[in-house]
Amino acid sequence: MSLPRALRASSSFATAFQRAVIPKYHPLASRRYKSGPYGYTQAKALVYSKYGEPDDVLSLHTHSISPSLPSNTLLLRTLATPINPADINQIQGLYPSKPPFTSLLGTQAPSAVGGNEGCFEVVSAGSSISSLQKGDWVIMASTGFGTWRTHTLAEEKNCLKVNKEGLSPTQVGTVSVNPCTAYRMLKDFETLNEGDWFVQNGANSGVGRAAIQLAKRWGVKSLNVIRDRPDAESTQNMKDELIALGATKVVTESELMERDFPDQVKGWTSGGREKIKIGLNCVGGKPTGAMVKCLSAGGHLVTYGGMSKQPVMLPTAALIFKDIKFSGFWVSRWSDANREEKKRTVDEVLEMTRLGMFKDIPVQELKWDWGTEESLLKEAVSGTLGGFRSGKGVFVYGDT
């Protein structure tokens, strides 16, 4: 059976990929081998061929991968892939970065694979690859690759090797988005010296937790804003949890909005002599306007998300009289432009993790085995944007 015309792409990697990937309907693929006849590897992927809600557009697709690898290509086995809110927005078509739909996996319609982050193990390497070998762990150099799949082919240039010693797949698989976002925002916009402060909302998020720990490590104090919980006990439990991570102060949005809150901030910062130089915003709306008032003169608000779907209102007085600066940060763009710096950032965070200086984010792991039903995988994806969660969803790959 000949390959469909859509598979006859012109680029060298696409052509090599065509030779290595057998579409779902190939006779060899009809037999459920995880390691098939003649060395073919069976693989599954969560794909979508149009934008929409994950429940409506995601499907589990099976295909086979040839053992004949192009010289510059790796066969990777997936170990752990998180489910980030941006992944959902991408499937919905709401995210600025949209991976191209392709027929290379042999889907009925051109499709993209969901997910942007993960930890992979090298199964085999092409003949020209010397920097990686079987058993090494890698992450993707940039987002947009499509990580929710059991196995994949990748070019050497698209992979960053990590030192796996003393680390779990989940720790490695969740390092390149949230911790890198927190690290770069605290480092790249203002100079934070020991004893300085930053303020942030979404403090219980993956980015928020990373920022708290990094700041504590660097001697920087933090004022952290969380959403109000349904009851006082759960609110206090969350405050205690973040304090244990290293947060200096933790308040709720309703406390932030109180009229006398600026006076409390003055008391915490020695009458304002300790400067709050940076604000990290992933919420927007009125609470962010109140957070801006906490910044010292010359401070900097960095926006990296908009969970409330409300605009960031810029207070005129903050612009004129306090010279507050406003910037945005998108880790995908930063990763694409700063490959070597990303590698250094990832290595530093993982070394802190290895030494017990950086704690894991709470996660809800879902085991993805060969027989895991499509409905369970889609349910894990769809639940990512819902209410208060006990942890980030992570696919952990088992018998695949």
Side-chain angles (χ1 to χ4, degrees), residues 5-278:
R5 181 179 302 170
L7 284 177
R8 300 176 193 141
S10 59
S11 72
S12 59
F13 182 65
T15 303
F17 197 100
Q18 291 165 202
R19 292 196 297 267
V21 177
I22 299 181
K24 183 177 181 179
Y25 50 77
H26 190 280
L28 288 177
S30 65
R31 301 177 65 183
R32 287 184 48 158
Y33 287 87
K34 294 182 288 297
S35 180
Y38 314 111
Y40 286 92
T41 298
Q42 284 275 56
K44 290 186 176 183
L46 272 179
V47 302
Y48 58 103
S49 58
K50 62 181 179 180
Y51 299 117
E53 295 304 317
D55 268 344
D56 300 327
V57 301
L58 283 178
S59 63
L60 188 60
H61 172 71
T62 304
H63 59 283
S64 294
I65 302 174
S66 167
S68 301
L69 295 182
S71 62
N72 66 335
T73 302
L74 299 154
L75 172 61
L76 305 176
R77 181 173 76 92
T78 315
L79 300 180
T81 55
I83 309 167
N84 292 308
D87 302 332
I88 312 304
N89 296 149
Q90 197 170 61
I91 294 168
Q92 294 168 328
L94 303 176
Y95 204 63
S97 174
K98 297 179 176 66
F101 292 148
T102 174
S103 297
L104 291 177
L105 295 183
T107 51
Q108 290 185 349
S111 300
V113 179
N116 287 280
E117 188 180 21
C119 173
F120 302 84
E121 181 182 45
V122 176
V123 176
S124 57
S127 58
S128 68
I129 296 176
S130 59
S131 63
L132 292 163
Q133 60 185 358
K134 182 178 180 179
D136 286 342
W137 286 9
V138 299
I139 62 173
M140 291 300 136
S142 58
T143 57
F145 179 81
T147 59
W148 297 344
R149 43 177 141 193
T150 62
H151 302 79
T152 186
L153 297 176
E155 289 188 272
E156 180 183 19
K157 67 180 181 181
N158 293 328
C159 299
L160 298 178
K161 181 180 177 179
V162 298
N163 177 7
K164 65 183 181 181
E165 182 182 355
L167 299 171
S168 70
T170 296
Q171 289 170 330
V172 174
T174 56
V175 72
S176 62
V177 173
N178 291 338
C180 284
T181 297
Y183 190 110
R184 299 324 315 178
M185 289 193 298
L186 292 176
K187 283 288 189 181
D188 294 347
F189 290 89
E190 298 291 332
T191 300
L192 289 172
N193 300 311
E194 189 170 346
D196 288 335
W197 289 70
F198 79 94
V199 57
Q200 67 170 342
N201 53 32
N204 184 45
S205 67
V207 173
R209 288 169 175 266
I212 288 170
Q213 296 182 77
L214 291 170
K216 178 70 172 180
R217 174 81 174 153
W218 299 332
V220 173
K221 300 176 182 179
S222 61
L223 172 53
N224 301 275
V225 183
I226 60 174
R227 287 182 294 171
D228 291 84
R229 263 55 186 170
D231 57 78
E233 182 179 2
S234 58
T235 298
Q236 189 58 51
N237 288 340
M238 180 53 59
K239 288 183 176 183
D240 293 342
E241 186 176 337
L242 297 184
I243 292 292
L245 276 182
T248 310
K249 297 291 180 180
V250 184
V251 300
T252 63
E253 284 188 349
S254 60
E255 291 170 329
L256 172 71
M257 300 297 290
E258 291 175 359
R259 186 180 297 272
D260 66 345
F261 188 73
D263 294 330
Q264 295 183 54
V265 174
K266 281 187 178 180
W268 296 333
T269 59
S270 302
R273 290 187 296 275
E274 298 173 3
K275 303 301 181 184
I276 304 180
K277 292 184 176 180
I278 295 179

